[in-house]
Amino acid sequence: VIVDSLVLSQVGIAHTELVQYPQAEVAFKKAWMVDPNRFEGLEIYSTVLWQMKKEVELSYLAHFASQTHPRRPQALCAIGNLFSLHKDHKTALKFFLRAIQIDKSFVYAYTLAGHEFAATEDFEKSQIFYRRSLRINSRHHNAWYGLGNIFFRQEKYQHAYFHFNRALEINPSCSVLYTLTGQALEESGRHKEALEVLERGILIDKYNYVTQYQRAHVLFKIQDLNGALEQLQRLVNEVPREGSIHFLLGKVYEALGKTHQALKHYVMALDLSPKDSTSIKNSIEALCTDNEDAEAILQSITPAKTTQNGTKESLSTNNIDNNNNSNNSNSNNNNHNETELSSGLISPFSLGSELSPFPR
């Protein structure tokens, strides 16, 4: 049965709206196999590859688009997405603005330009392009998300909630928008509402691990320690190598007075999330300072390492900094990635970037 390329392209767009990028890529590939000269949907297909960080595939698509449809806004957006993936925001903007110049009604080009301005922290210009996008199509939820993201980064959480919630009303099937809306509510101190939104998001997509993490974080914040522990124990079975989960588990166990379990998860977090080593080490040191048995426990649960002079040395509060000098040098180069939530916990954005990407 030969399926029309338009139908396949629409299937790809639908998967993209649901943040189901692998399925979207399959549908778009099939669409272009049926009609290699198709240009409608190129901009969305390129965004899917951008989200999946598939540089080779996106390079091929951008090259193909530049050769076959050099004056189509869809093709220009695909090329812009390639430069964006390479962190060349200035060149990416040139192509997005060129797409707008060719077709002033092409909504997505305005939103992509807004994303690039946001990436360079030019929030004023970013807002201008998001709002221009919404003037053309008030139901373009990507632009509502973009505005919410700016306000969240500026710690204007009530404004962030309004815009995230507007995006969610337009696209209620996108579980990531529940996460963002819940996080904005949490930061606004509206914990009960945050939990309600996050629980709806989990029902929409049980594989959105960031939403589950965020729910556990809210439960911890309101001191529902058993609820937070139950959520995190389920989550760590699904995502055993995510440092932020182990760090939050350590916080919960510490609050429950279970020092051994707390240190165990702190050490695992330290191993899995070197970029967040400062926050984790501070928690370990604080726990060892407050608990006279913690130092012995810490040494008992960490394997001894052989030093340069051949002696065995276990992790302790005296040498914890020395064990992670290399991690510190790496984290110093990535300070903008080390975000802490208001309660001193590691942000789950590392989860978001790999397991449940944010909209674009």
Side-chain angles (χ1 to χ4, degrees):
V1 178
I2 298 177
V3 182
D4 187 88
S5 64
L6 173 61
V7 174
L8 289 166
S9 182
Q10 290 299 314
V11 170
I13 292 171
H15 281 301
T16 306
E17 295 286 297
L18 294 171
V19 202
Q20 297 171 348
Y21 297 123
Q23 298 94 319
E25 182 191 15
V26 170
F28 281 123
K29 274 185 178 178
K30 290 180 179 178
W32 264 266
M33 287 175 64
V34 172
D35 182 4
N37 293 315
R38 181 177 186 80
F39 63 87
E40 294 91 345
L42 270 173
E43 74 283 10
I44 307 299
Y45 187 10
S46 69
T47 287
V48 169
L49 297 174
W50 183 95
Q51 289 280 17
M52 299 177 74
K53 295 180 172 54
K54 291 200 169 184
E55 184 178 341
V56 173
E57 292 85 346
L58 183 52
S59 295
Y60 177 81
L61 184 68
H63 176 74
F64 173 80
S66 67
Q67 296 297 309
T68 56
H69 308 291
R71 290 186 55 80
R72 295 283 186 180
Q74 295 90 341
L76 291 166
C77 286
I79 299 167
N81 267 335
L82 176 62
F83 283 103
S84 176
L85 184 61
H86 292 159
K87 308 297 183 186
D88 186 349
H89 302 299
K90 183 177 180 181
T91 306
L93 270 168
K94 285 174 60 178
F95 283 99
F96 296 144
L97 295 177
R98 177 63 177 151
I100 292 169
Q101 189 177 30
I102 288 174
D103 184 353
K104 290 182 170 55
S105 66
F106 195 70
V107 175
Y108 196 39
Y110 290 93
T111 299
L112 289 173
H115 291 335
E116 293 308 303
F117 279 120
T120 61
E121 298 193 352
D122 189 341
F123 296 140
E124 183 176 349
K125 287 184 180 177
S126 182
Q127 287 189 59
I128 289 171
F129 278 88
Y130 289 139
R131 295 190 190 283
R132 285 178 180 173
S133 176
L134 291 171
R135 277 201 293 270
I136 299 169
N137 180 3
S138 63
R139 294 187 59 78
H140 188 58
H141 67 84
N142 307 68
W144 285 107
Y145 152 75
L147 286 168
N149 184 47
I150 289 174
F151 288 124
F152 192 92
R153 290 168 68 179
Q154 293 176 331
E155 299 184 2
K156 298 177 181 177
Y157 299 121
Q158 292 284 7
H159 287 82
Y161 162 71
F162 172 82
H163 290 86
F164 286 148
N165 190 56
R166 186 73 185 96
L168 182 58
E169 289 173 349
I170 295 167
N171 186 10
S173 298
C174 179
S175 64
V176 176
L177 292 174
Y178 289 91
T179 309
L180 296 165
T181 305
Q183 193 171 7
L185 283 167
E186 177 194 356
E187 295 296 341
S188 300
R190 298 160 65 179
H191 299 120
K192 183 178 179 181
E193 293 171 81
L195 285 173
E196 290 173 356
V197 169
L198 293 167
E199 284 161 6
R200 283 162 50 204
I202 293 170
L203 288 174
I204 291 287
D205 182 3
K206 65 179 180 180
Y207 297 110
N208 186 334
Y209 301 123
V210 182
T211 310
Q212 296 179 45
Y213 176 97
Q214 201 65 42
R215 178 177 180 270
H217 181 264
V218 176
L219 291 170
F220 174 75
K221 214 169 186 180
I222 62 175
Q223 291 297 294
D224 184 351
L225 300 178
N226 290 325
L229 182 60
E230 183 182 349
Q231 178 72 74
L232 289 167
Q233 286 174 332
R234 290 197 301 266
L235 188 54
V236 79
N237 288 331
E238 297 291 333
V239 197
R241 296 192 58 77
E242 178 56 47
S244 56
I245 298 172
H246 287 284
F247 186 57
L248 182 50
L249 263 170
K251 286 286 187 183
V252 172
Y253 277 124
E254 182 179 352
L256 289 168
K258 298 182 178 181
T259 304
H260 187 280
Q261 291 95 326
L263 285 170
K264 173 187 172 184
H265 286 285
Y266 283 152
V267 170
M268 292 179 73
L270 192 61
D271 181 53
L272 294 168
S273 296
K275 73 180 190 302
D276 298 305
S277 59
T278 301
S279 301
I280 300 166
K281 287 187 291 184
N282 287 343
S283 294
I284 293 173
E285 290 170 356
L287 180 54
C288 288
T289 300
D290 296 337
N291 190 316
E292 59 184 20
D293 297 326
E295 185 76 36
I297 294 171
L298 179 61
Q299 294 187 43
S300 72
I301 63 175
T302 55
K305 294 183 179 180
T306 304
T307 62
Q308 290 182 346
N309 60 14
T311 61
K312 296 284 187 178
E313 188 177 68
S314 296
L315 187 65
S316 70
T317 53
N318 292 327
N319 63 32
I320 193 169
D321 288 320
N322 296 328
N323 276 279
N324 290 280
N325 281 337
S326 60
N327 291 344
N328 277 338
S329 62
N330 291 333
S331 64
N332 287 338
N333 294 327
N334 296 282
N335 283 337
H336 59 285
N337 289 329
E338 186 169 333
T339 306
E340 289 189 28
L341 300 174
S342 58
S343 59
L345 300 178
I346 300 171
S347 166
F349 288 130
S350 57
L351 275 170
S353 62
E354 296 180 15
L355 298 173
S356 184
F358 296 145
R360 176 168 172 81

